[in-house]
Amino acid sequence: MGTPGAQEQYVLEGNEGELQRLADQHAVLKASMGTLVLAPVDFSSHLRILDSGTADGLWLRELQESLDTSHTYVGTDINAAFFPKDHPGVSLQVQSITQDWPREWASSFDYVHQRLTLVGAGQTPVKDCVAKLVNLIKPGGWIELIEADFTCESPNGPAMQKYETLMKTFFDTIGVGSDFGKSLKGYLEDEGLEDVQERAFSIPYGTVCHDATLAEKGSSHLLSALKGVWAFLHGNTSKSLDGEFRALRDEVERELEDRGVHVKMVAVWARQPVRS
Ligand SMILES: C[S@@+](CC[C@H](N)C(=O)[O-])C[C@H]1O[C@@H](n2cnc3c(N)ncnc32)[C@H](O)[C@@H]1O
């Protein structure tokens, strides 16, 4: 089993209310993307489905609830503390994206899904982590990767632009780099996959999100992520959440209310060829 490397830990593991933040973000993404699954996966017969970086398996459990046919659901993460005690029909296992996967899992999944987890590659090249995931797909099976993309010109106001700069510094400090999102399509092509697709989403937050409940969840998630990332970059001490942090948080909060914010996400999906 590819247990996490000695230094591997989820960087926002200690962020207060992190699972609630992830659930809020999940609700916003699902609504904006309009679906849990972008790849044209045929769920009408039994499939083996993997969600890598699953946290508490929320995406997997919602997929399971949404489908009539019975499937095998596997979730993996480096942080077992996120796994719920009760998860009927879903198997959860510790596994890092940077480590070798169980040999018997090679070419065994019909659909491999991973969202917002490649930052966990750290110093390991993202391309290598993607190649390890591709190795898990059966011939004819699909892979789907979704990540935030802070590389394009920002449509946002000054507060959110500071937030975006902070995120880029975060990605660069961790080692993954802030521009890996735009390379994902090429990585899937380099792995010899077919039907490679890429789609960009501009996710609305604050006043430009026209559902009040989702707008509240979205703002709460963005502000919680800001706190977690700021604390990480400033030594994870309570003292680090000082006046400078509070000023930026208040500025972002005002911008969410006054003009709203957009965050770009990039999704890529592709199919393992059926070789004759
Ligand atoms: C931002 S959360 C995303 C959770 C979920 N995929 C979602 O979209 O809501 C990132 C998840 O990846 C996990 N993670 C971080 N580094 C990882 C690694 N090297 N291997 C596997 N999982 C990792 C974290 O523990 C966390 O659960």
Side-chain angles (χ1 to χ4, degrees):
M1 183 63 44
T3 47
Q7 303 305 315
E8 285 191 317
Q9 195 185 3
Y10 176 40
V11 279
L12 295 184
E13 187 181 324
N15 190 34
E16 196 186 338
E18 179 62 5
L19 280 181
Q20 184 58 53
R21 179 186 80 79
L22 293 177
D24 289 341
Q25 174 175 241
H26 167 78
V28 170
L29 294 181
K30 187 174 72 164
S32 292
M33 295 180 171
T35 179
L36 289 167
V37 176
L38 292 159
V41 180
D42 178 0
F43 289 104
S44 62
S45 58
H46 179 273
L47 303 181
R48 265 173 63 78
I49 299 167
L50 171 69
D51 184 35
S52 165
T54 198
D56 62 353
L58 179 60
W59 176 89
L60 262 184
R61 288 180 282 126
E62 287 199 4
L63 182 67
Q64 184 188 30
E65 277 163 27
S66 73
L67 298 172
D68 295 331
T69 313
S70 134
H71 301 292
T72 299
Y73 296 91
V74 181
T76 53
D77 202 286
I78 46 167
N79 185 15
F82 279 164
F83 296 164
K85 284 199 177 61
D86 198 22
H87 46 86
V90 174
S91 116
L92 297 171
Q93 204 156 304
V94 171
Q95 170 70 43
S96 171
I97 58 167
T98 66
Q99 305 295 309
D100 287 339
W101 290 75
R103 206 167 290 170
E104 62 277 18
W105 285 13
S107 306
S108 78
F109 286 95
D110 300 280
Y111 178 41
V112 172
H113 173 270
Q114 185 181 271
R115 190 176 65 184
L116 299 168
T117 298
L118 280 170
V119 175
Q123 306 285 340
T124 305
V126 167
K127 193 178 187 351
D128 295 355
C129 299
V130 171
K132 286 181 194 296
L133 287 173
V134 167
N135 192 43
L136 303 173
I137 322 168
K138 271 183 193 169
W142 292 90
I143 183 168
E144 179 172 332
L145 306 171
I146 301 176
E147 294 291 339
D149 180 6
F150 293 106
T151 57
C152 51
E153 204 178 315
S154 174
N156 294 311
M160 193 58 192
Q161 287 188 29
K162 286 184 206 165
Y163 188 122
E164 288 160 346
T165 301
L166 194 80
M167 285 296 168
K168 285 189 226 172
T169 306
F170 176 59
F171 287 0
D172 289 339
T173 304
I174 286 170
V176 73
S178 53
D179 58 354
F180 69 89
K182 64 178 185 213
S183 307
L184 296 178
K185 183 168 182 266
Y187 291 161
L188 296 183
E189 285 164 349
D190 291 349
E191 288 301 317
L193 300 188
E194 60 187 22
D195 296 338
V196 185
Q197 302 291 321
E198 179 180 50
R199 195 163 147 199
F201 292 87
S202 181
I203 313 292
Y205 286 93
T207 189
V208 285
C209 173
H210 301 301
D211 176 304
T213 308
L214 282 177
E216 205 176 311
K217 284 179 194 280
S219 296
S220 170
H221 136 64
L222 275 191
L223 294 168
S224 171
L226 174 62
K227 185 175 169 197
V229 168
W230 183 280
F232 173 80
L233 290 174
H234 293 82
N236 265 330
T237 63
S238 51
K239 199 167 161 283
S240 68
L241 297 171
D242 57 6
E244 199 187 342
F245 162 72
R246 287 201 298 274
L248 176 58
R249 182 198 59 198
D250 293 350
E251 215 184 312
V252 171
E253 203 168 2
R254 268 197 308 278
E255 203 163 285
L256 280 161
E257 284 164 16
D258 293 348
R259 60 170 281 174
V261 154
H262 284 92
V263 174
K264 188 178 165 201
M265 305 284 300
V266 60
V268 293
W269 61 94
R271 190 156 66 130
Q272 185 77 272
V274 180
R275 299 186 204 282
S276 50

